[in-house]
Amino acid sequence: MLIDLRIPVPRVKLIDLEDAVQITSHYHVHQLLGNAEFAAPEVIQGAPVSLGTDIWSIGVLTYVMLSGVSPFLDESKEETCINVCRVDFSFPHEYFCDVSHAARDFINVILQEDFRRRPTAATCLQHPWLQPHNGSYSKIPLDTSRLACFIERRRHQYDVHPVPNIKSFIMSRMNPGT
């Protein structure tokens, strides 16, 4: 993520220079690289990805930027993957007490397990939370101290290697009787 400060109104730019792939058909199979806490369930499960896969990442980034914590991070990479695949997240009061209901709804709308239920980028831009005239945003500045800690933790991670055998591990944990 970059912030362009050279213009009168700073603009956030989401970038991915290491792992970007142009999707030329409706779906593309993608190897899980990077940190699983930002990956959509279909990436972790080794299923085909689509443009909706990137929308998922926007939901995770929004959560992190508003709270300074990760929605899915757990003690191990495997547990984090399980949390992602189960879409197991919440809005703890200690992190979201000053975050509007519209912002939480925006995240809920995006973090859908089924990529076909995720909104398009154009639909996201029409969400009430992103409309400047609706007044649903908080006038209280966000506490960025947790976000600074989050960024510092990420700086020390080496997360560009494939996660070995994660698909079989996730499937065995999510379907223990099989």
Side-chain angles (χ1 to χ4, degrees), residues 40-142:
E42 59 270 20
V43 174
I44 291 172
Q45 295 167 0
V49 299
S50 68
L51 296 176
T53 303
D54 289 335
I55 296 298
W56 172 278
S57 298
I58 290 170
V60 175
L61 282 169
T62 302
Y63 187 106
V64 169
M65 289 169 53
L66 292 173
S67 67
V69 295
S70 171
F72 301 109
L73 185 64
D74 211 320
E75 297 297 317
S76 69
K77 193 175 284 191
E78 293 81 11
E79 291 299 319
T80 297
C81 288
I82 290 169
N83 291 342
V84 169
C85 291
R86 290 181 178 164
V87 192
D88 186 9
F89 74 97
S90 63
F91 299 102
H93 181 74
E94 64 186 293
Y95 302 123
F96 284 90
C97 61
D98 293 327
V99 175
S100 72
H101 291 289
R104 293 182 219 183
D105 181 66
F106 179 74
I107 294 167
N108 274 322
V109 165
I110 290 177
L111 294 181
Q112 298 290 320
E113 180 178 3
D114 184 347
F115 67 89
R116 294 170 295 219
R117 294 187 62 208
R118 295 181 203 139
T120 63
T123 303
C124 286
L125 291 172
Q126 298 304 313
H127 190 277
W129 182 59
L130 296 179
Q131 302 307 307
H133 60 275
N134 90 356
S136 68
Y137 57 90
S138 173
K139 311 251 186 316
I140 301 168
L142 290 173

